[in-house]
């Protein structure tokens, strides 16, 4: 079974037409991979479907806008995957 | 339908919030300036307006599900297929069902039938955001009443 990171990297590669070898756990989805808001919508939809969750993107955006979090905490892939794992665990609980 | 005003939906004929599904009636006008250009001597409803009709139909579903508190803006159209021509005067029925309600976005699958035949279908995605101003919100609520959206779904706004 693919890890969360492998699944997410695969989704990003397929959805945004990015070479897999350019994607690493330390990649920032926006700053490093250049994913714009429309492509991120595709990525979010694919992640929601793949993991059966609803990523709280609006909450994350608000926290970033209010300075409570940095974009790194949500959009660096290893951190995104940790958040996905937490959402999956919360759903299963 | 008043094509030149982008009024694509005449009325909501079925709305099932639990089933996440909506049906609308859309009567293509006999005459419109649109048909003068599309096409001279062979008037047919432009495919982009079929897409707009599906988008508005799905949009009313999203609006109803959110109690008209937020506005769905068209962001993406996937796999749109124009399967058959639609002529002036034809009655169309548009249907949409919600595939996914994400955070700040929504996805529907929609289709239109005319004369018992599916004429188009697509997957449509919306960005769902607070109304950008009161003018748009008031216009949408007025339109909601015009197309027959129950007050139950307007009340929250």
């Amino acid at each position: 079974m693919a890890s969360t990171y492998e699944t997410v990297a695969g989704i990003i590669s397929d959805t945004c037409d990015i070479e897999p070898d350019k994607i690493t756990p330390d990649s920032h989805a926006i700053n490093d991979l250049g994913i714009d808001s429309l492509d991120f919508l595709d990525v979010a939809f694919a992640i929601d479907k793949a993991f059966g969750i609803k990523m709280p993107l609006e909450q994350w955006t608000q926290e970033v806008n209010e300075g409570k979090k940095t974009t790194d905490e949500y959009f660096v892939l290893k951190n995104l995957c940790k958040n996905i794992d937490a959402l999956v665990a919360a759903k299963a609980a | 339908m008043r094509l030149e005003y982008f009024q694509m939906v005449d009325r909501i004929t079925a709305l099932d919030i639990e089933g996440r599904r909506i049906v609308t009636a859309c009567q293509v006008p006999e005459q419109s300036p649109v048909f003068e250009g599309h096409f001279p001597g062979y008037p047919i409803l432009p495919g982009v307006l079929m897409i707009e009709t599906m988008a508005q139909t799905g949009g009313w579903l999203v609006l109803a599900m959110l109690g008209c508190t937020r506005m769905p803006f068209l962001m993406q159209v996937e796999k749109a297929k124009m399967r058959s021509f639609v002529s002036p005067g034809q009655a169309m029925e548009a249907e949409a069902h919600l595939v996914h309600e994400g955070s700040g976005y929504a996805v529907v699958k929609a289709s239109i039938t005319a004369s018992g035949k599916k004429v188009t279908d697509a997957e449509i995605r919306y960005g769902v955001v607070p109304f950008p101003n009161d003018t748009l919100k008031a216009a949408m609520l007025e339109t909601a009443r015009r197309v027959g959206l129950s007050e139950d779904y307007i009340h929250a706004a």
Side-chain angles (χ1 to χ4, degrees):
Chain A
M1 188 176 164
S3 69
T4 301
Y5 171 72
E6 287 168 338
T7 302
V8 170
I11 286 170
I12 289 173
S13 176
D14 291 345
T15 305
C16 305
D17 200 19
I18 297 172
E19 293 293 326
D21 59 5
K22 292 185 177 163
I23 302 170
T24 75
D26 290 315
S27 299
H28 189 297
I30 300 161
N31 299 343
D32 296 328
L33 301 178
I35 300 173
D36 66 16
S37 59
L38 187 57
D39 279 340
F40 198 79
L41 177 69
D42 278 347
V43 170
F45 182 35
I47 289 173
D48 280 1
K49 276 196 300 186
F51 294 96
I53 59 173
K54 178 175 173 176
M55 282 196 296
L57 299 177
E58 290 175 297
Q59 179 193 324
W60 293 355
T61 303
Q62 187 177 343
E63 288 172 1
V64 168
N65 289 342
E66 291 173 353
K68 293 177 181 170
K69 300 272 187 178
T70 65
T71 59
D72 287 7
E73 290 174 85
Y74 291 127
F75 296 109
V76 168
L77 296 197
K78 64 186 178 189
N79 298 334
L80 178 63
C81 291
K82 276 184 201 167
N83 283 309
I84 292 169
D85 287 339
L87 289 164
V88 171
K91 192 185 172 198
Chain B
M1 299 174 84
R2 296 174 73 199
L3 305 184
E4 53 276 31
Y5 290 95
F6 267 57
Q7 290 182 7
M8 314 310 287
V9 170
D10 292 325
R11 66 184 187 282
I12 295 167
T13 54
L15 176 63
D16 176 0
I17 294 291
E18 276 191 20
R20 300 175 153 210
R21 180 176 176 273
I22 191 170
V23 181
T24 63
C26 313
Q27 175 66 47
V28 182
E30 289 284 355
Q31 296 192 345
S32 164
V34 169
F35 296 132
E36 293 172 18
H38 195 282
F39 293 99
Y42 193 69
I44 55 173
L45 185 67
V48 290
L49 295 185
M50 292 191 201
I51 291 171
E52 178 65 21
T53 302
M54 290 190 285
Q56 289 190 17
T57 295
W60 284 118
L61 176 61
V62 175
L63 276 159
M65 294 188 73
L66 298 173
C68 290
T69 55
R70 310 183 85 202
M71 178 72 185
F73 285 100
L74 177 62
M75 280 191 77
Q76 193 169 345
V77 180
E78 289 266 321
K79 299 173 191 163
K81 293 181 181 175
M82 311 304 142
R83 298 174 181 276
S84 186
F85 293 152
V86 174
S87 303
Q90 273 196 280
M92 301 195 302
E93 184 176 84
E95 185 266 346
H97 69 274
L98 190 76
V99 173
H100 185 69
E101 183 186 6
S103 173
Y105 74 98
V107 183
V108 306
K109 283 194 174 172
S111 62
I112 297 176
T113 55
S115 305
K117 185 175 170 185
K118 186 187 280 189
V119 293
T120 183
D121 56 275
E123 181 181 285
I124 295 171
R125 301 182 191 177
Y126 309 87
V128 182
V129 297
F131 282 97
N133 61 45
D134 290 340
T135 303
L136 175 61
K137 184 175 181 179
M140 290 306 298
L141 296 181
E142 184 183 332
T143 307
R145 293 184 172 98
R146 177 179 61 78
V147 299
L149 183 65
S150 164
E151 288 292 330
D152 295 345
Y153 305 112
I154 299 173
H155 186 67

